[in-house]
Amino acid sequence: GSGQAADQNPHDQALAMNINEIKEMPPVELQAKGRELRAELFNLNLQKSIGTLEKPHRIGGLRKDIARVETALSAKKKEAVSA
């Protein structure tokens, strides 16, 4: 068999959040999560610039997670306004 599954970092899987998890978070938590993801993205881009980045695919995944968080946040803001 291939060692693909074995070398997957559990940390990576925790960060690939599903949209349902995100939708259930309160806005304060979403903002904190957004900041956390942006900090990690910054660090990955820094590693990329100095050539020590081990998992380039993480950058794309992080950007998508940030987008998911932002989308959920704006949806919650719209809900609050219309309510």
Side-chain angles (χ1 to χ4, degrees), residues 14-62:
L15 284 164
M17 303 171 295
N18 71 30
I19 195 69
N20 294 330
E21 282 177 45
I22 294 171
K23 282 181 180 171
E24 288 166 13
M25 285 184 181
V28 177
E29 224 174 283
L30 283 171
Q31 287 172 330
K33 191 73 179 171
R35 275 194 297 273
E36 183 184 311
L37 291 171
R38 281 196 173 79
E40 190 175 346
L41 182 62
F42 174 81
N43 289 329
L44 288 180
N45 280 321
L46 197 64
Q47 287 175 18
K48 180 176 153 191
S49 70
I50 57 176
T52 60
L53 184 61
E54 287 179 11
K55 298 179 179 173
H57 66 277
R58 289 284 299 122
I59 292 178
L62 259 177

